[in-house]
Amino acid sequence: MSSTGEQGFSGGVDGTIQCWNTPNPNIDPYDSYDSSVLRGELSGHTDSVWGLVYSSVHQRLLSCSADGTVRLWDANTTSPSLAVFNENKKLGVPSSVDLVCSEPAHLVTSFTNGQIGLFNMETRQLVLSMESNLEPGTPCQINKVLSHPTLPITITAQEDRHIRFFDNNSGKLIHSMVAHLDAVTSLAVDPNGLYLMSGSHDCSIRLWNLENKTCIQEFTAHRKKFEESIHDVAFHPSKCYIASAGADALAKVFV
């Protein structure tokens, strides 16, 4: 979603990004479909789009795809992408992307082989690769990468049940913890940067104190379906709400 909530963007397995105008919240859901809701299509990826992030500062959109690339788009138009990163697949296939909050010119991308790369959006160059500290030959898929809202820290959700914290300046691993009983699929940080929320295929949402990395709340949120459970979690930008989406076809909001 854009910061105003007036626009939304979705990426699909068809490789396209669809741009939507948010309908009036008072609309009757049974009204006939208004074609003006769909604003246009961003095309350029040649495989599934796995991640999208919107930058209100730049009015830009970032996407990562199974085609190996991360692309930067002008969110206000349907023009071709402004920049392409990892075009030669040097780092692998990206799984998630985020904007680096502490350095507006940088983006951070995680890859299915466990790599993490910091890129400069202006020069399109790789600035830094995070050290994974894993034994060679034991790749661990990263499902979600997140930039801390105020500190130069990157946080990752891993297939091996871990959450890891990296220093954006040195690329070094700061902290690693077993966070769930199954793969960690999703992460979110509250707007003040005090709490981390994680979702997992173990059906639980966990809330963490970011300062001392301790779990302060855990609750079961979704049922399993085909060995999968929670696919995404989110904090409301200003109100005390959290939300989750699961493989059980439910989206839930918690107060």
Side-chain angles (χ1 to χ4, degrees):
M1 297 295 293
S2 67
S3 46
T4 59
E6 291 171 3
Q7 295 173 334
F9 303 90
S10 60
V13 291
D14 61 357
T16 67
I17 298 161
Q18 304 293 339
C19 310
W20 308 87
N21 293 313
T22 312
N24 186 307
N26 302 318
I27 192 172
D28 183 336
Y30 297 104
D31 275 358
S32 57
Y33 172 68
D34 178 2
S35 58
S36 68
V37 167
L38 183 58
R39 194 164 54 89
E41 179 180 293
L42 299 174
S43 48
H45 284 300
T46 55
D47 206 336
S48 304
V49 178
W50 291 135
L52 289 175
V53 61
Y54 176 84
S55 164
S56 53
V57 180
H58 305 96
Q59 305 275 299
R60 299 279 188 262
L61 190 72
L62 275 172
S63 61
C64 68
S65 164
D67 66 13
T69 66
V70 172
R71 288 176 183 260
L72 179 69
W73 312 82
D74 180 345
N76 298 318
T77 70
T78 52
S79 311
S81 56
L82 303 169
V84 184
F85 307 89
N86 196 50
E87 206 162 3
N88 55 7
K89 290 194 186 180
K90 191 176 176 184
L91 288 176
V93 175
S95 57
S96 177
V97 66
D98 201 10
L99 291 146
V100 177
C101 303
S102 59
E103 176 48 80
H106 289 178
L107 67 91
V108 61
T109 309
S110 62
F111 294 85
T112 54
N113 57 11
Q115 296 257 34
I116 307 161
L118 271 179
F119 290 89
N120 185 312
M121 285 189 273
E122 289 159 9
T123 65
R124 307 180 193 183
Q125 298 300 308
L126 178 68
V127 179
L128 186 72
S129 277
M130 307 288 185
E131 65 173 43
S132 65
N133 267 25
L134 288 171
E135 296 291 319
T138 56
C140 175
Q141 175 164 316
I142 298 171
N143 293 320
K144 176 77 177 176
V145 70
L146 196 67
S147 176
H148 190 284
T150 55
L151 301 173
I153 291 172
T154 293
I155 310 167
T156 60
Q158 317 258 157
E159 191 71 19
D160 65 1
R161 317 192 315 273
H162 283 74
I163 293 174
R164 293 190 168 94
F165 299 79
F166 296 87
D167 183 313
N168 287 355
N169 297 320
S170 66
K172 293 202 178 309
L173 179 69
I174 304 168
H175 185 73
S176 177
M177 60 189 187
V178 176
H180 283 272
L181 303 173
D182 204 338
V184 190
T185 60
S186 43
L187 294 173
V189 174
D190 81 290
N192 300 314
L194 301 175
Y195 302 105
L196 175 72
M197 180 166 49
S198 59
S200 164
H201 287 325
D202 68 8
C203 305
S204 77
I205 290 175
R206 296 188 180 188
L207 210 57
W208 306 84
N209 178 322
L210 267 176
E211 193 176 2
N212 57 20
K213 314 289 193 292
T214 54
C215 183
I216 53 176
Q217 195 171 10
E218 179 203 353
F219 50 96
T220 301
H222 293 269
R223 289 174 293 114
K224 263 201 173 180
K225 187 174 182 182
F226 303 126
E227 296 307 304
E228 294 190 353
S229 180
I230 297 168
H231 283 155
D232 211 356
V233 292
F235 281 98
H236 190 282
S238 56
K239 297 185 172 71
C240 290
Y241 297 146
I242 60 173
S244 62
D248 57 4
L250 294 175
K252 296 185 176 187
V253 179
F254 302 89
V255 182

